[in-house]
Amino acid sequence: MYDLILIRYGELVLKGGNRKQFTNTLKQNIIKQVGEVPIVAFDRMYLNYSEDNLRRLNYVFGISSFSPVKKVETNIEKIKEIVLQELDPNSKTFRLNCHRNWKKFEYNSEQIINIVASQILKNTNKKVDLFNYDEKINIEIRENYSYIFNKSYKGLDGLPVGISGKTLHLISGGIDSPVAAYELMKRGVHVDFLSFITPPHTDDKTIEKVNRIVQLLSNYQGGSKLFQINYTDLMNYIGFVSDQSYKINLMRRSFYRIADIIAKKGNYLAISNGENLGQVASQTMESIYVIGSQTSLPIYRPLLTFNKNDTIKIAQKIKTYEISIEKANEACEIFAPKRPVIKPTFIHAEKLENELSEIKELENQAIETKMTFSRFKNILQ
Ligand code: ATP
Ligand code: MG
């Protein structure tokens, strides 16, 4: 039976003050996720062993790998005894690995392996096989206590969420924007969400999808905020514009003017989205320029250059995919012009907005009176 979980993190990329901030944020995030305080040793953390803790560590960014371990006094007799005790009774072949982190220990790694291996060979019928082993036992020698383990799980890597500030993320019920949010979290960004809905064109199902997606993503960062704006009046208003091919473009410009106001009020350092270059008419270089000009904040687009297959793989892994592909009414299907402009110009978009003299007024009203706010907690069961 294991005593602890040993948590390893990306040491290589960290230097100086960054490292300290990294360790502190990671520690806080682990506390939030498992409800226990890990012990921090220079380049490791240790947590009490439980199946539940093991599972929860799969939701914490910044961990490179983790192993359930047996803790033993750093004493060669004790180490021999524990390794023998912990062997898998069903294995026929084994391999030992030793890492001597505490260089003052009286034996070096090779000697430790020889001593422990002879003990196993003497007391069991198992054989050494360095390549086709049934079981690999790792011994990590540290001052005072050493650690013995036979399993390692890959962590999420990246940086602990919160270390890089926060973004306001435009979320839809589609496949891309949830994956983009996940990618931002991976770089240590805390993500809050903004979603535009247009009932009755979008049904309750759309809202429910967004809620379920935000809930899933919240499990990776201890909670999120979701701002939801009823955009129906604005959408209808934009529908009056003289050049119908610009409708989607104008709507997206309006999204970013609204996002800009909310983000600045909430001290967000960026707006982000799931845009992917060239995917649809609204994501050509021209469209991205004309739309993105409506905020002075940087816009983060983690999926800009992704291939769809790679996005789908991530969506499947984080289980947002199955929600995203559920059928729901999307406003764009009704609102979208037959031939949306593919290469919009800035000047023409502005000219059309002059026809819509009340648009900014309506946008402010939408923020004041048509916005709902909800908080999502980590509810990992
Ligand atoms: P997604 O799968 O994320 O919907 P998509 O490939 O379908 O992306 P679009 O629908 O053109 O592309 O949207 C591009 C981006 O604009 C989305 O990734 C999302 O960030 C944002 N977006 C689109 N619709 C909405 C909406 N109703 N509310 C908030 N953001 C939206
Ligand atoms: Mg979409």
Side-chain angles (χ1 to χ4, degrees):
M1 216 29 220
Y2 301 109
D3 304 310
L4 298 170
I5 302 170
L6 171 114
I7 300 168
R8 307 174 191 87
Y9 37 94
E11 306 141 57
L12 292 177
V13 291
L14 298 166
K15 295 196 179 78
N18 260 354
R19 182 192 186 101
K20 197 157 178 205
Q21 206 195 344
F22 178 102
T23 317
N24 284 341
T25 312
L26 181 59
K27 182 178 171 189
Q28 290 311 317
N29 291 355
I30 291 174
I31 295 172
K32 264 194 250 166
Q33 183 60 261
V34 307
E36 279 175 37
V37 183
I39 296 163
V40 183
F42 179 65
D43 57 348
R44 301 286 155 103
M45 288 188 202
Y46 299 97
L47 202 60
N48 284 322
Y49 170 79
S50 76
E51 282 296 318
D52 192 47
N53 284 353
L54 268 187
R55 193 176 59 95
R56 285 176 181 275
L57 292 178
N58 289 308
Y59 290 81
V60 181
F61 285 104
I63 295 176
S64 56
S65 68
F66 51 99
S67 299
V69 299
K70 190 86 193 160
K71 181 176 169 184
V72 50
E73 225 176 276
T74 301
N75 164 313
I76 196 72
E77 290 307 318
K78 293 269 163 57
I79 292 170
K80 270 158 65 175
E81 184 189 321
I82 294 291
V83 172
L84 201 57
Q85 229 176 62
E86 293 299 308
L87 286 174
D88 176 356
N90 299 318
S91 76
K92 295 196 170 66
T93 54
F94 71 95
R95 169 182 182 149
L96 290 180
N97 270 15
C98 180
H99 182 71
R100 191 179 55 144
N101 200 277
W102 183 49
K103 300 293 178 206
K104 291 187 185 144
F105 189 51
E106 52 195 312
Y107 304 100
N108 67 26
S109 297
E110 205 178 314
Q111 290 168 326
I112 298 165
I113 290 177
N114 284 336
I115 295 169
V116 178
S118 343
Q119 174 83 352
I120 299 173
L121 294 170
K122 218 186 309 167
N123 291 281
T124 70
N125 294 324
K126 298 183 198 300
K127 297 209 159 45
V128 175
D129 191 325
L130 297 185
F131 303 102
N132 294 313
Y133 47 83
D134 295 334
E135 171 173 38
K136 180 164 99 176
I137 302 118
N138 300 276
I139 305 167
E140 191 172 298
I141 305 292
R142 301 228 158 199
E143 197 175 356
N144 304 324
Y145 290 101
S146 293
Y147 301 92
I148 293 161
F149 57 93
N150 56 5
K151 276 189 205 125
S152 266
Y153 302 103
K154 209 176 144 17
L156 290 180
D157 275 321
L159 301 175
V161 174
I163 203 169
S164 305
K166 56 177 187 168
T167 180
L168 184 64
H169 189 73
L170 273 70
I171 187 103
S172 73
I175 295 169
D176 295 340
S177 42
V179 173
Y182 177 83
E183 290 295 305
L184 286 160
M185 290 175 188
K186 192 170 92 188
R187 297 317 300 166
V189 182
H190 178 91
V191 180
D192 286 329
F193 299 92
L194 171 62
S195 162
F196 295 93
I197 52 164
T198 49
H201 310 297
T202 49
D203 50 16
D204 289 347
K205 179 79 186 170
T206 319
I207 300 173
E208 189 226 359
K209 276 174 68 175
V210 169
N211 279 290
R212 278 156 66 207
I213 287 169
V214 170
Q215 181 57 67
L216 269 185
L217 292 166
S218 297
N219 296 339
Y220 291 89
Q221 58 172 15
S224 330
K225 292 177 192 166
L226 169 65
F227 303 93
Q228 204 149 47
I229 292 205
N230 183 325
Y231 194 78
T232 311
D233 290 348
L234 270 155
M235 188 173 92
N236 293 337
Y237 184 63
I238 292 172
F240 290 126
V241 81
S242 64
D243 184 347
Q244 294 282 302
S245 74
Y246 265 68
K247 280 200 303 186
I248 294 281
N249 201 273
L250 295 177
M251 181 170 84
R252 291 285 154 94
R253 278 166 66 90
S254 165
F255 280 6
Y256 284 87
R257 286 193 295 269
I258 293 175
D260 183 80
I261 295 171
I262 299 170
K264 284 177 180 160
K265 221 185 202 162
N267 297 319
Y268 291 88
L269 292 174
I271 295 173
S272 48
N273 63 35
E275 282 176 341
N276 181 247
L277 191 56
Q279 195 177 82
V280 288
S282 62
Q283 297 178 38
T284 59
M285 282 183 80
E286 289 83 358
S287 291
I288 287 177
Y289 167 50
V290 173
I291 294 168
S293 63
Q294 298 307 292
T295 175
S296 57
L297 286 166
I299 301 179
Y300 291 172
R301 302 174 177 90
L303 306 191
L304 191 72
T305 61
F306 273 42
N307 289 324
K308 193 75 185 185
N309 279 345
D310 296 327
T311 303
I312 288 178
K313 268 187 218 147
I314 299 172
Q316 285 169 333
K317 188 184 94 176
I318 63 175
K319 304 205 160 56
T320 53
Y321 184 75
E322 49 208 73
I323 304 174
S324 295
I325 60 172
E326 283 175 23
K327 189 83 193 116
N329 285 334
E330 276 204 38
C332 285
E333 286 166 16
I334 311 135
F335 183 70
K338 283 212 176 60
R339 279 195 198 80
V341 58
I342 291 171
K343 294 176 186 283
T345 68
F346 195 83
I347 292 171
H348 194 55
E350 284 202 323
K351 196 176 133 236
L352 293 171
E353 271 164 10
N354 285 336
E355 292 174 12
L356 306 167
S357 57
E358 284 165 38
I359 192 156
K360 296 206 172 139
E361 172 83 34
L362 286 172
E363 285 164 5
N364 285 322
Q365 266 177 31
I367 296 173
E368 304 269 307
T369 63
K370 293 184 172 153
M371 184 160 84
T372 60
F373 166 77
S374 15
R375 243 175 226 288
F376 289 74
K377 294 193 177 124
N378 174 355
I379 54 153
L380 197 61
Q381 302 294 330

